[in-house]
Amino acid sequence: MSRSSLMPVFDGHNDVLLRLIRGKTQPERDFLKGDNIGHLDWPRMKQGGFVGGFFAVYVPSESTSGGVDVDALMARPQYDVPLPPQLELGASQRITLHMTSLLLRIERASQGEVKICRTAGDIRTCIDSGKLAAILHIEGAEGIDPDLHILDVLYESGLRSIGPVWSRPNIFGHGVPFRYPSSPDTGPGLTERGKDLVRACNRLKIMVDLSHLNEKGFWDVAQLTDAPLVATHSNAHAICPHSRNLTDKQLAAIRESRGMVGVNFATSFIRPDGMRNDNTPLEEMIRHMDYLIEHVGVDGVGLGSDFDGATIPAEIGDVRGLPRLVDAMRRHGYDEAILRKLCYENWVNALERTWGR
Ligand code: ZN
């Protein structure tokens, strides 16, 4: 299939940088030439129509959740995965800089094929010219010092989006544990430092991502920020009552702010039973899309794959399966104009509203 016949997809979340820093000697080369591991590399992205998205810088915990077998746990009908302990700044900062440098090196080694985008105009130019539009995003600000000095450095390196917390607690706030069934109202929200971080993001026009915040943190941001409310990779709580999904009240606030939700491909956030199980029909994902369109509006919904960070439906498989998802959306009844909105236009417009022109 030629690339021009593919629906372009701009995506709200991926973890390819984390995949690439693990045990690779030439990660930028492996990404650009294609290593065929996991969900994403540049040759496969071109085959799937993936034109850009948020590239997460995420500091992994050494022992995930204290040695608990998370896969086994999340295959049960109910679960509450214990969160790993808070991380220390020094080591977190080192990994944050390592992963930021990896995206910069990918951009440099790509000789113009990959661009770290700083404006919506950058993204549009990339989509029109077949380049990969990458947004440097932080998922969990463990690598950022309390006085936010490194924020200025990262901003100059292209950082344009931050989720103050991954689910693990940090000096900025508390996230949601992976719990099913559960309300997202699981604990305290942002700390005073977390509020300072949101204010600094507003000043710099860095997007604040709500996806891993608990409900109190969500409302803390909603109260403080002057930007649209955005959850890059979360689904509808009414369909799948997982702690990571958004309640109707949260969706109404996102709509009110002219914000955005990226539909997560992770089966535990899609399936009404909350299970990590790749035998999950695409229709189940599209139910979330319908619901989110109804509650946030047709201009406020996009995709947020979690590629290389989650168990996704087997029918998608990896990024090359995106056209199968687009076909399923088309068969479901979305016309071409709606498909374009959901697949990329809404993201670009929401970023323009957040970053300014
Ligand atoms: Zn995430």
Side-chain angles (χ1 to χ4, degrees), residues 54-76:
F54 291 72
F55 285 64
V57 167
Y58 162 76
V59 183
S61 287
E62 275 191 9
S63 72
T64 38
S65 310
V68 177
D69 183 346
V70 176
D71 284 319
L73 201 59
M74 288 179 77
R76 291 189 192 160

Side-chain angles (χ1 to χ4, degrees), residues 198-353:
V198 172
R199 288 186 198 102
C201 286
N202 273 194
R203 274 197 302 276
L204 291 167
K205 296 202 181 299
I206 292 174
M207 196 191 90
V208 176
D209 178 16
L210 301 160
S211 264
H212 282 263
L213 280 168
N214 63 25
E215 196 172 349
K216 287 203 173 64
F218 179 99
W219 296 119
D220 285 340
V221 174
Q223 220 169 33
L224 269 173
T225 189
D226 50 23
L229 299 177
V230 176
T232 56
H233 58 309
S234 293
N235 294 339
H237 196 271
I239 297 176
C240 166
H242 196 290
S243 54
R244 272 279 280 104
N245 286 339
L246 298 157
T247 64
D248 290 356
K249 216 177 140 200
Q250 290 176 303
L251 296 176
I254 291 171
R255 175 184 210 135
E256 174 100 347
S257 74
R258 299 185 68 214
M260 181 85 195
V261 179
V263 175
N264 198 318
F265 298 10
T267 65
S268 359
F269 310 147
I270 295 171
R271 297 167 62 93
D273 67 8
M275 282 195 187
R276 189 178 280 190
N277 178 350
D278 70 356
N279 184 13
T280 299
L282 299 183
E283 259 317 298
E284 295 280 343
M285 270 183 77
I286 296 171
R287 270 184 74 196
H288 285 272
M289 292 180 195
D290 275 346
Y291 192 90
L292 293 169
I293 290 170
E294 190 188 326
H295 287 257
V296 185
V298 74
D299 296 319
V301 183
L303 302 177
S305 70
D306 228 335
F307 276 138
D308 280 330
T311 299
I312 66 170
E315 233 179 305
I316 298 177
D318 67 18
V319 65
R320 291 170 297 186
L322 284 173
R324 286 194 288 278
L325 174 63
V326 175
D327 281 342
M329 290 160 71
R330 195 177 276 124
R331 279 198 306 275
H332 180 75
Y334 297 148
D335 65 25
E336 294 305 305
I338 292 181
L339 283 175
R340 280 195 301 274
K341 281 174 187 266
L342 299 177
C343 290
Y344 67 100
E345 286 175 356
N346 286 348
W347 265 127
V348 183
N349 292 333
L351 286 165
E352 186 164 78
R353 292 195 292 276

